[in-house]
Amino acid sequence: MTKKLAFNEIYSNYKNLVLKAAHIYVDDLDTAEDIMQDTFLALYRDMTEKEFESEKEYSNIKSWLYTTAKHLALNYGKKAARTVSADALEGTDAVEEPFAESLESEYLGRITEEKRADLHERIFAALMKKNPRWHEAIMMVGYLEIPTAEAAERLGISENAFYAMMHRARKWIYKKFGVEYEELKRL
């Protein structure tokens, strides 16, 4: 098996894995594609420097490719953070908040936000099914930020009745979804 044939086979088998690995750590598909190319370029250089006898030498190629793509993506993120920090320093005496968050923690934060958004969607769907007036009241106050007096007037009830309705709705939500919400808060 020639080096070129082996490299092409490895590329076709693992290009999607490498692209996904890079895209996990950089949230830009174009950058992830660049990282994928750099990863396979590193592999190609490694293959040409060594005497390539058989594919057994590359039995752990999948983990090598994933790890290399991850490290290249993390290095890209660090370089981008330094560029942003340098840009922020221009024209100012001090940076208000240094960039301390790693790409991994940013990625985990995005996952948490997605889970939180999914939970909110499920809560509102269940709330609509349970009591449409509760749903409407919480939407007005929570999302539309309408003052409670105006929300009560729109629903045609007194403010006290509105507060009582909101209390019952929140109590029901906590009873049904409280455990999931508490788990998300811990992440």
Side-chain angles (χ1 to χ4, degrees):
M1 181 181 287
T2 66
K3 289 181 186 180
K4 184 177 180 180
L5 182 61
F7 178 80
N8 289 341
E9 186 177 326
I10 292 168
Y11 178 80
S12 65
N13 288 341
Y14 298 110
K15 65 183 177 185
N16 291 333
L17 170 80
V18 173
L19 182 61
K20 286 178 186 177
H23 197 253
I24 286 171
Y25 295 97
V26 293
D27 197 26
D28 178 46
L29 187 58
D30 292 333
T31 304
E33 288 175 346
D34 290 344
I35 291 168
M36 178 183 74
Q37 289 177 352
D38 290 344
T39 302
F40 281 106
L41 181 61
L43 173 67
Y44 188 78
R45 286 180 181 151
D46 188 49
M47 288 174 72
T48 56
E49 289 174 4
K50 293 180 179 179
E51 286 297 317
F52 185 70
E53 296 297 326
S54 68
E55 201 169 326
K56 289 181 183 177
E57 291 181 30
Y58 290 94
S59 61
N60 62 347
I61 193 71
K62 184 177 180 179
S63 63
W64 185 92
L65 288 168
Y66 181 86
T67 304
T68 303
K70 175 183 173 182
H71 289 285
L72 287 172
L74 291 173
N75 288 341
Y76 174 83
K78 289 176 187 175
K79 182 178 177 185
R82 283 193 302 270
T83 304
V84 169
S85 296
D87 291 344
L89 285 173
E90 288 180 14
T92 62
D93 293 334
V95 176
E96 291 178 21
E97 289 185 21
F99 183 83
E101 205 171 77
S102 72
L103 284 176
E104 289 184 55
S105 63
E106 183 180 320
Y107 175 71
L108 291 174
R110 264 190 255 129
I111 288 175
T112 303
E113 284 304 312
E114 288 174 9
K115 287 181 180 181
R116 186 171 287 124
D118 178 58
L119 179 61
H120 287 167
E121 285 179 30
R122 289 188 297 119
I123 288 171
F124 278 101
L127 191 61
M128 182 66 161
K129 190 176 181 181
K130 173 72 175 166
N131 189 328
R133 285 183 56 88
W134 289 359
H135 178 269
E136 189 175 2
I138 290 182
M139 285 295 289
M140 281 194 271
V141 174
Y143 280 97
L144 300 176
E145 297 179 356
I146 296 172
T148 52
E150 186 180 334
E153 186 180 315
R154 286 185 183 187
L155 289 175
I157 58 176
S158 70
E159 276 188 70
N160 288 339
F162 185 82
Y163 284 121
M165 181 171 54
M166 291 290 289
H167 176 74
R168 286 190 302 274
R170 287 183 180 130
K171 189 175 178 180
W172 180 83
I173 290 170
Y174 186 76
K175 182 179 178 183
K176 187 155 175 89
F177 296 98
V179 173
E180 289 179 72
Y181 188 75
E182 293 299 323
E183 285 178 14
L184 276 176
K185 281 174 50 176
R186 281 189 255 138
L187 294 178

